[in-house]
Amino acid sequence: MENKKINKPKFNPYWIYGIVITVLLAMSMFGGDNNWQSISKTNISDFERFLNQEDVAEVVVINQKMARVTLTQNALEKSVHKVVKKENLIGQQNIQGPHYEFEVGNLELFQRKLEQAKDNGINFKYDFISVENRWMDVILGFLPIIIIIGIWIFLMRRMSGGAGGGAGGQIFNIGKSKAKLFDQNTDVKTTFKEVAGLEGAKEEIQEIVDFLKNPKKYTVLGGKIPKGALLVGLPGTGKTLLAKAVAGEAKVPFFSISGSDFVEMFVGVGASRVRDLFKQAKEKSPAIIFIDEIDAIGRARGKNNFTGSNDERENTLNQLLTEMDGFGTDTNVIVLAATNRADVLDKALMRAGRFDRQIYVDLPDLNERREIFKVHLKPLKSIKTLDVEFLAKQTPGFSGADIANVCNEAALIAARKNKKSVGKQDFLDAVDRIVGGLEKKHKIITPGEKKTIAYHEAGHATVSWLLEHAAPLVKVTIVPRGQSLGAAWYLPEERMIVRTEQILDEICAALGGRAAEKLIFNQISTGALSDLEKVTRQARSIVSVYGLNDAIGNLTYYDSTGQSENSFNKPYSEKTAQIIDEEISNIIETQYKRACDLLKKNKSKLTQLAERLLEKEVIFKDDLSNILGKRPFDDDQNPGKSGDNLEIEVAVK
């Protein structure tokens, strides 16, 4: 026979609080004399009738306000007084009294009536007494102390943040780990099948899962199980999703915690939680510890610590370093961590023996985006003819989270239009909505401003169409969207390496808007702000980052470690700084003149394009082909090339 487990109620410290409060309330309510008796309410007129009928044995006036009446034994036998013989809280009949109570009103008048009844020969007793509730006085005396203790308990519970232990135990468990445990009893549905793309990262992470499932397979050859793996990548690329997949696939205890959960206002709490976390993991080994956003505690030590404010964080990091390098290889505990700021992590944390592997989670390429779209399209009611390949081509530079957002936004747009399924145009609108912002068709723009915006965007489109290495144009619009007054969509090619002429063509195309304004109106405006920001950044990268400038030579002032971000000293002299500024200015001005020359040669086509924009507000690649002719640089063989990002040239206020 199977032994059935009897679920016994667990002891809760709140029960003690409830019992104490109940007792105190009872003492307060029944703290006076005879308060345990069941007393009926009456009024002064009924009392006078009882008094004249000689039913009253005693009258006691309490605190000059309330009168309590005790009846004679003969009166209790009358039917009119049956109600006063009812049972009290402990099941006894009220025989001894008092039986009635009422408010006396005017005390002097009431006393005069009692004396008059005495003079008339009615036999009864009366007295005036003062009663104090001693228990209530005691409670009121201790009330300030009780309030202070209550506030202290509340603050301690809030600062503990719900650390381990049962209810009411957080005060004493503030140093306990707050990691969430996922094991075979926890329903974790995420698997590697649901992680689309990220093939390289997924392969490495699967090896770690295999280490824990079959450790002897590797140790029999003399190998050691890795201590940790660091997931590095841009936000939204799927680092945490990979960790969730590990939790679902590993079938071993999985401890998940955020780096910020170690940080507390109390000194030593972070280090204590690290010790407790690894202690729990060792007890349940083989196990996996996942620390999300580890840069919260893993930043390089001794940097800009002028006030000593980072001592607690550094203590937490030191304890983490000790724990990772301290446990033996036979404990089968692997540490996973995720961050998008690997450059700021402490070098001691990154060395072999702690995080043995760094797994880079890059932005998905064309094929990976296609697979990600397939995953997120499953729950959507989309049309059967939806081209997933086309969607993947239209979203270069999008992360997995961005693609999920596109699918969700497309469904919302389709629902807003009362459609029964999500179509191709809904996805295109969703991409435009996410990248460019919401359309503002009702924004008030003067005809002169609208004309300026049209020529500005037409300048971008014309110059980019005529340059070989400029990104191919997708769409141009003069409808206000987000903070922009107009926008041009480009689909840049995917390049593993970038040459100087390619960057220069992109700078020239970005300056086409301002060049068109100067050519047509002989004036320039603030609409080129985003363009100038982009070209300045690109020109600076040519000169000081990639070493593509002859005046500076084969030098770079880029620090990939990120250690010089907060440095007050420049890595070059004042003379070099002057040369850098001059070269950046020369590059931009040269490309601006080049854009002006191109537009002068094609002024008529520029005007036609601007007029078409003013007429339709939105034009596409086919419109440019009809006006400017077929672009000679288009590669029809590779229409699906994707780039680093879906770029938008915008004209802003």
Side-chain angles (χ1 to χ4, degrees):
M1 294 181 64
E2 296 182 356
N3 296 327
K4 295 183 178 180
K5 293 183 179 180
I6 301 173
N7 295 325
K8 297 180 179 180
K10 296 181 179 180
F11 175 76
N12 195 323
Y14 282 121
W15 295 353
I16 299 175
Y17 304 150
I19 293 171
V20 172
I21 293 172
T22 303
V23 171
L24 293 176
L25 290 175
M27 290 179 177
S28 172
M29 294 175 63
F30 308 106
D33 296 336
N34 299 317
N35 267 353
W36 292 96
Q37 300 294 337
S38 182
I39 304 175
S40 300
K41 297 288 184 179
T42 188
N43 52 54
I44 193 167
S45 59
D46 289 339
F47 166 73
E48 291 179 0
R49 188 174 73 252
F50 299 155
L51 187 61
N52 294 329
Q53 294 174 356
E54 298 185 355
D55 290 343
V56 177
E58 185 180 11
V59 180
V60 179
V61 180
I62 302 173
N63 297 334
Q64 302 180 357
K65 295 181 179 180
M66 187 68 67
R68 288 179 177 171
V69 181
T70 302
L71 301 178
T72 63
Q73 294 297 321
N74 293 331
L76 290 173
E77 301 300 326
K78 296 180 179 180
S79 59
V80 70
H81 299 301
K82 281 184 178 181
V83 66
V84 302
K85 294 176 67 177
K86 62 184 180 181
E87 295 181 348
N88 60 14
L89 295 176
I90 57 177
Q92 296 177 335
Q93 286 189 336
N94 188 6
I95 303 298
Q96 299 298 324
H99 302 104
Y100 292 102
E101 67 178 7
F102 61 92
E103 293 184 2
V104 299
N106 191 316
L107 184 62
E108 293 182 1
L109 180 61
F110 182 71
Q111 187 176 359
R112 198 177 303 123
K113 289 181 180 180
L114 295 179
E115 292 174 351
Q116 186 178 357
K118 277 283 189 180
D119 295 340
N120 293 334
I122 299 175
N123 185 24
F124 70 99
K125 299 178 181 179
Y126 70 90
D127 194 9
F128 296 84
I129 64 174
S130 296
V131 176
E132 297 180 355
N133 194 333
R134 297 181 180 86
W135 286 109
M136 182 56 71
D137 292 339
V138 171
I139 293 174
L140 291 175
F142 282 99
L143 186 60
I145 299 175
I146 294 173
I147 293 174
I148 292 172
I149 294 174
I151 293 173
W152 180 79
I153 292 174
F154 173 77
L155 292 176
M156 290 292 291
R157 289 179 60 80
R158 294 286 293 180
M159 289 185 294
S160 67
Q170 289 95 334
I171 302 171
F172 308 102
N173 292 323
I174 192 172
K176 299 292 184 180
S177 169
K178 300 190 320 183
K180 296 179 180 179
L181 174 61
F182 301 91
D183 52 19
Q184 61 271 15
N185 300 321
T186 307
D187 188 17
V188 182
K189 298 181 179 180
T190 305
T191 62
F192 286 128
K193 293 181 180 179
E194 300 176 18
V195 182
L198 310 177
E199 296 301 328
K202 197 160 56 174
E203 183 179 348
E204 288 196 70
I205 212 78
Q206 281 178 317
E207 285 185 5
I208 292 175
V209 175
D210 195 41
F211 285 151
L212 294 173
K213 287 184 176 180
N214 307 298
K216 292 184 179 180
K217 176 182 176 181
Y218 302 92
T219 56
V220 71
L221 300 176
K224 296 180 180 179
I225 296 176
K227 298 289 185 65
L230 182 65
L231 299 172
V232 182
L234 295 173
T237 50
K239 301 184 294 296
T240 306
L241 181 64
L242 276 174
K244 290 181 180 178
V246 173
E249 293 277 357
K251 306 300 181 184
V252 298
F254 186 93
F255 296 86
S256 177
I257 191 171
S258 174
S260 60
D261 288 336
F262 294 105
V263 182
E264 202 64 76
M265 67 174 293
F266 299 112
V267 177
V269 170
S272 176
R273 288 179 179 174
V274 171
R275 285 192 296 270
D276 187 67
L277 173 61
F278 279 85
K279 179 183 177 183
Q280 294 180 38
K282 291 176 187 177
E283 292 173 351
K284 293 182 177 290
S285 66
I288 297 175
I289 296 173
F290 174 62
I291 305 174
D292 201 5
E293 306 297 343
I294 195 174
D295 51 280
I297 60 169
R299 287 179 176 266
R301 294 164 292 180
K303 296 293 183 181
N304 302 317
N305 187 13
F306 301 112
T307 62
S309 59
N310 291 331
D311 286 345
E312 172 60 16
R313 181 184 57 77
E314 290 186 3
N315 291 338
T316 306
L317 175 58
N318 291 336
Q319 187 63 46
L320 178 62
L321 295 175
T322 303
E323 293 290 344
M324 288 191 67
D325 204 27
F327 58 80
T329 55
D330 57 343
T331 57
N332 295 345
V333 177
I334 292 179
V335 182
L336 294 181
T339 182
N340 53 18
R341 294 296 309 277
D343 55 316
V344 302
L345 295 180
D346 196 277
K347 291 183 178 181
L349 192 65
M350 305 287 288
R351 75 162 176 83
R354 290 195 175 107
F355 284 111
D356 301 291
R357 295 187 173 190
Q358 292 188 31
I359 302 173
Y360 291 95
V361 186
D362 297 325
L363 290 172
D365 57 20
L366 178 64
N367 297 326
E368 290 174 336
R369 290 198 301 275
R370 182 173 60 248
E371 298 301 319
I372 295 171
F373 263 112
K374 289 180 181 179
V375 170
H376 293 294
L377 285 174
K378 285 181 181 178
L380 297 184
K381 292 183 179 179
S382 57
I383 60 175
K384 295 181 180 180
T385 58
L386 186 63
D387 188 359
V388 182
E389 183 79 18
F390 173 78
L391 297 179
K393 293 176 182 177
Q394 296 300 311
T395 52
F398 279 44
S399 65
D402 294 330
I403 292 174
N405 192 22
V406 167
C407 294
N408 183 65
E409 192 69 34
L412 297 179
I413 291 173
R416 202 176 297 127
K417 296 178 181 178
N418 298 320
K419 293 183 177 180
K420 295 183 179 180
S421 60
V422 188
K424 175 181 176 182
Q425 188 58 45
D426 299 320
F427 283 95
L428 293 177
D429 293 341
V431 173
D432 295 346
R433 169 72 175 85
I434 292 171
V435 178
L438 183 67
E439 280 191 352
K440 300 179 180 179
K441 295 183 178 181
H442 303 291
K443 193 177 186 72
I444 300 175
I445 301 175
T446 63
E449 289 176 335
K450 192 172 184 180
K451 187 176 181 181
T452 301
I453 297 169
Y455 274 96
H456 182 103
E457 301 303 333
H460 283 307
T462 303
V463 175
S464 64
W465 191 266
L466 298 174
L467 295 177
E468 179 179 0
H469 302 293
L473 187 100
V474 177
K475 180 174 73 171
V476 184
T477 178
I478 58 173
V479 178
R481 184 182 289 272
Q483 294 184 345
S484 66
L485 300 178
W489 273 255
Y490 301 93
L491 203 62
E493 294 182 351
E494 186 175 15
R495 299 166 180 160
M496 301 304 295
I497 58 173
V498 182
R499 294 184 172 84
T500 309
E501 59 267 20
Q502 294 171 338
I503 303 177
L504 294 177
D505 281 2
E506 291 178 0
I507 293 175
C508 185
L511 293 171
R514 168 158 287 192
E517 291 184 37
K518 182 67 174 176
L519 176 65
I520 301 300
F521 306 105
N522 197 28
Q523 291 179 333
I524 57 176
S525 68
T526 59
L529 174 60
S530 63
D531 303 327
L532 298 179
E533 182 184 4
K534 176 186 175 183
V535 299
T536 303
R537 184 172 61 249
Q538 289 179 315
R540 186 172 296 278
S541 69
I542 291 176
V543 178
S544 61
V545 177
Y546 297 116
L548 300 176
N549 182 259
D550 294 334
I552 298 298
N554 299 318
L555 295 176
T556 181
Y557 301 106
Y558 173 70
D559 183 13
S560 61
T561 64
Q563 301 300 318
S564 63
E565 285 186 357
N566 300 317
S567 177
F568 295 105
N569 298 321
K570 296 180 180 179
Y572 44 78
S573 65
E574 291 296 329
K575 183 179 179 181
T576 303
Q578 185 177 355
I579 296 174
I580 291 174
D581 292 340
E582 290 174 355
E583 291 299 316
I584 292 173
S585 179
N586 290 336
I587 290 173
I588 295 175
E589 293 303 320
T590 301
Q591 297 306 314
Y592 177 68
K593 186 177 181 302
R594 182 186 177 196
C596 290
D597 294 339
L598 281 172
L599 292 176
K600 283 180 182 178
K601 295 178 182 178
N602 299 273
K603 187 176 180 180
S604 60
K605 295 179 179 180
L606 171 67
T607 304
Q608 291 180 43
L609 194 60
E611 294 297 329
R612 183 71 63 86
L613 262 176
L614 289 170
E615 179 186 352
K616 294 186 174 182
E617 292 190 335
V618 180
I619 61 174
F620 298 90
K621 185 178 180 179
D622 293 339
D623 296 294
L624 270 75
S625 183
N626 294 332
I627 295 174
L628 301 174
K630 182 177 171 53
R631 192 167 186 257
F633 315 111
D634 285 343
D635 187 1
D636 297 329
Q637 301 299 321
N638 297 293
K641 287 185 177 181
S642 59
D644 297 329
N645 206 344
L646 181 62
E647 297 184 0
I648 299 182
E649 303 288 351
V650 297
V652 299
K653 294 181 182 179

